[in-house]
Amino acid sequence: MSNWNAGYMAEIAYTYGYYEELNPLRLRLPLLAAGLALPASGTACELGFGQGISANIHAAASATRWHGNDFNPSQAAFAQELASAAGAGAQFTDESFAQFCRRDDLPDFDFICLHGIWSWVSAENRALIVDFLRRKLKVGGVVFISYNTQPGWAAMMPMRDLMAEHSRVMSAPGQGVLARVEGAIDFVDRMIAAQPRYLEANPLLADRIEKLKAMDGHYLAHEYFNADWQPMAFSSVAAMLGEAKLEFAASATYTALVDMLNLTAEHQQFLAEIPDPIFRETTRSFLVNEQFRKDYWVKGARRLTPFAQASALRAVRVMLAVPRDEVVLSVHGVLGDADMDERVYAPVLDAMADHRVYTIGELEQQLAGSEANLAALLQIMLVLVSKGSVLAVQDEADIAVARPQTARLNVYLLEQALERTDLTILASPLTGSGVAVSHLQQLFLWAKLQGCSTPQDLVRATWPVLLRLNQLLTRDEQPLLTEEENLSELLAHAQYFSARSLPILRVLGVTD
């Protein structure tokens, strides 16, 4: 029998996560901040789409035509089911990289994304991917790639190898994947208790292993136990992607674009003295002890004139996506939590408090005379988008195309909430992206589709579903055990949803 999984952990399903960096609309601010021209947005592809949540959300919520591949057939089947529900024409297959990357019936792509897979596939598959990027990415197109990096993984790499070896050598014959994962972590935990000298040289590892013990076994299996597992230096990745004529454009982690959140003044000065951009990024990884990178790369990057850059920035459309009074003026970076200057951020948030769509240029005019000039607004938006407080908004023509597609997909996802609790995302036609909506709020939206309007109606409709799913509520992190307590808490959630969450979801086009 052929080894179709090529050493990748395919025995258990991948998690049902949504990754906002795979939204083509999201690359605009980082590229414009770097002074680079924006790509077209007609076609996109995801290699290794997992369960296909992100690709399907972005296909339904835009006019972009999506293709994707993941060699796990059960995951491809689920992705195809979502695609059928949305009716956005997305195409997903379960081919190997060798099969998919060599197809001659695929379009050329404006955007290709690879979330995580770079670190977990063989050198042969990485070569196939690079060749695919070289042949199928349009000139001016963008690649999103995320991967494990050195030096953040340096101390953990031998420990990971030890856990993977334990899984292969010490597990009982026929033992399931999750049991093997649990056994390997237990072994390492017991070894740490014996105080090995390796731990003395790397004291932070004990805390890292402790955190692993609390993580989901499915995630751990895919993260740590594949046959191929290779953290890489930025310079090594740059050399490989250079073979596909790709140039580094910008980090896809918005807070990484704000140096003061991650680098001391001494760090910034040190990096400023390095003229080579690749070596500068490689060195930066050491300064921040980087463990995971998310980056945009461009084929044929074109630098904008200052005037063109400013004009493109002013045309970017944004909206406040949370209640104004729920925006916490704090942001997290490598250096820790930083307070956001209220004198700078409050006027911008107040101007957007009505949840209308604004261009950055309109905000600049409205706030003329304040500290919110164009350069400041760019940084403000990077920070607010990183927090999820503000979202980019696509053009009206794309919104019109997306509305019926997201409506169909969201109805399907709400129906799934009657049976499962792990699909906590819905699609917004305005932002071209997913919006996090808790399972309970999805049930409220489902009840609304059934004609429920008041908080009391929502409670009556959703309580039987929660009972059937054995989903009791909590208060102050403590489970509520009586029906009376649960109904009281459920009513409080329904009242908050009706007053606070529902208006925002309506503005985002997630519901009518």
Side-chain angles (χ1 to χ4, degrees):
M1 179 179 293
S2 63
N3 184 20
W4 63 268
N5 64 326
Y8 189 83
M9 184 61 65
E11 298 172 59
I12 58 175
Y14 192 64
T15 54
Y16 292 85
Y18 167 74
Y19 306 101
E20 61 186 356
E21 295 87 0
L22 279 59
N23 178 8
L25 190 66
R26 199 177 184 276
L27 59 81
R28 292 184 179 180
L29 279 179
L31 262 62
L32 289 176
L36 300 178
L38 299 177
S41 57
T43 53
C45 177
E46 183 177 2
L47 298 176
F49 54 67
Q51 298 290 353
I53 301 294
S54 300
N56 270 294
I57 289 285
H58 298 143
S62 71
T64 300
R65 293 180 292 118
W66 276 82
H67 289 71
N69 182 69
D70 190 292
F71 60 11
N72 188 311
S74 65
Q75 293 172 185
F78 181 75
Q80 290 170 0
E81 186 176 324
L82 291 181
S84 177
Q91 301 291 317
F92 301 113
T93 65
D94 68 335
E95 297 166 293
S96 68
F97 286 127
Q99 293 170 319
F100 183 81
C101 291
R102 290 171 177 158
R103 281 174 53 180
D104 59 7
D105 61 338
L106 295 172
D108 291 341
F109 296 107
D110 299 295
F111 182 57
I112 299 176
C113 45
L114 306 90
H115 176 61
I117 63 167
W118 187 262
S119 300
W120 293 278
V121 298
S122 66
E124 292 78 11
N125 276 321
R126 277 193 290 271
L128 285 170
I129 290 171
V130 170
D131 181 65
F132 180 78
L133 299 178
R134 180 185 61 80
R135 292 184 298 104
K136 300 305 294 181
L137 183 69
K138 294 179 183 178
V139 172
V142 175
V143 169
F144 167 79
I145 180 172
S146 60
Y147 58 97
N148 285 335
T149 55
Q150 302 169 349
W153 274 101
M156 186 64 185
M157 288 170 67
M159 195 70 80
R160 176 269 168 191
D161 291 345
L162 183 67
M163 290 192 297
E165 186 70 7
H166 181 281
S167 174
R168 288 191 295 268
V169 174
M170 300 294 289
S171 298
Q175 192 173 39
V177 173
L178 294 180
R180 299 203 306 269
V181 170
E182 183 179 350
I185 292 177
D186 178 68
F187 171 79
V188 169
D189 194 38
R190 289 186 289 111
M191 185 186 72
I192 288 175
Q195 298 183 335
R197 292 191 180 278
Y198 186 76
L199 190 64
E200 293 178 14
N202 301 277
L204 297 180
L205 277 181
D207 180 62
R208 194 158 178 176
I209 296 298
E210 195 65 27
K211 291 178 179 177
L212 290 187
K213 292 158 62 177
M215 292 181 179
D216 179 77
H218 292 75
Y219 167 79
L220 293 175
H222 287 271
E223 172 67 45
Y224 290 92
F225 290 84
N226 291 306
D228 294 290
W229 188 88
Q230 185 61 57
M232 289 189 182
F234 176 83
S235 56
S236 298
V237 176
M240 295 180 193
L241 296 182
E243 296 175 12
K245 301 183 179 181
L246 292 171
E247 302 172 53
F248 174 68
S251 173
T253 302
Y254 277 29
T255 50
L257 304 174
V258 183
D259 282 345
M260 66 182 65
L261 298 176
N262 309 288
L263 300 165
T264 66
E266 186 177 7
H267 290 162
Q268 294 178 53
Q269 178 60 38
F270 187 77
L271 291 177
E273 296 171 359
I274 301 175
D276 183 83
I278 300 302
F279 187 64
R280 186 167 56 246
E281 281 295 317
T282 304
T283 304
R284 186 184 186 280
S285 295
F286 283 84
L287 296 180
V288 301
N289 195 33
E290 195 162 48
Q291 181 177 328
F292 192 70
R293 285 193 72 104
K294 304 175 184 178
D295 293 326
Y296 294 122
W297 295 72
V298 179
K299 183 178 184 178
R302 292 186 298 114
R303 188 156 297 279
L304 298 170
T305 65
F307 178 81
Q309 179 188 23
S311 297
L313 275 172
R314 289 188 173 102
V316 171
R317 288 154 50 96
V318 292
M319 66 175 292
L320 185 65
V322 296
R324 163 66 180 93
D325 58 358
E326 292 186 10
V327 179
V328 178
L329 294 182
S330 176
V331 61
H332 185 74
V334 172
L335 299 179
D337 292 329
D339 292 331
M340 298 155 56
D341 191 339
E342 187 168 1
R343 296 172 305 168
V344 174
Y345 283 87
V348 177
L349 291 167
D350 291 342
M352 303 177 72
D354 58 3
H355 304 290
R356 286 180 48 221
V357 176
Y358 291 92
T359 66
I360 291 179
E362 288 170 341
L363 292 173
E364 180 188 24
Q365 291 180 346
Q366 189 169 332
L367 297 167
S370 72
E371 297 184 41
N373 58 29
L374 185 60
L377 278 170
L378 171 59
Q379 181 167 304
I380 289 167
M381 290 303 151
L382 288 172
V383 171
L384 290 175
V385 172
S386 77
K387 291 167 57 67
S389 302
V390 166
L391 295 174
V393 177
Q394 57 190 346
D395 297 336
E396 291 299 323
D398 291 338
I399 293 173
V401 171
R403 279 193 187 278
Q405 298 171 170
T406 57
R408 290 190 293 266
L409 180 59
N410 288 342
V411 167
Y412 174 85
L413 291 171
L414 294 180
E415 290 172 347
Q416 291 293 300
L418 302 177
E419 306 173 8
R420 56 194 300 174
T421 63
D422 54 353
L423 300 176
T424 54
I425 198 78
L426 296 175
S428 165
L430 268 75
T431 65
S433 69
V435 177
V437 181
S438 70
H439 178 251
L440 182 57
Q441 292 201 345
Q442 287 188 349
L443 292 181
F444 289 154
L445 287 174
W446 168 81
K448 178 178 167 292
L449 291 177
Q450 313 312 307
C452 299
S453 56
T454 68
Q456 292 77 10
D457 290 338
L458 299 179
V459 170
R460 281 190 289 270
T462 57
W463 176 237
V465 179
L466 293 173
L467 281 177
R468 179 167 51 80
L469 296 176
N470 196 28
Q471 293 289 306
L472 299 181
L473 279 70
T474 63
R475 183 185 300 137
D476 299 327
E477 300 184 357
Q478 298 299 314
L480 302 177
L481 303 179
T482 69
E483 180 171 330
E484 182 181 7
E485 288 176 321
N486 274 274
L487 288 174
S488 175
E489 186 69 13
L490 187 57
L491 179 59
H493 281 282
Q495 290 170 333
Y496 176 88
F497 169 79
S498 298
R500 307 282 285 176
S501 302
L502 184 58
I504 301 293
L505 294 175
R506 282 175 168 152
V507 170
L508 290 168
V510 173
T511 189
D512 295 333

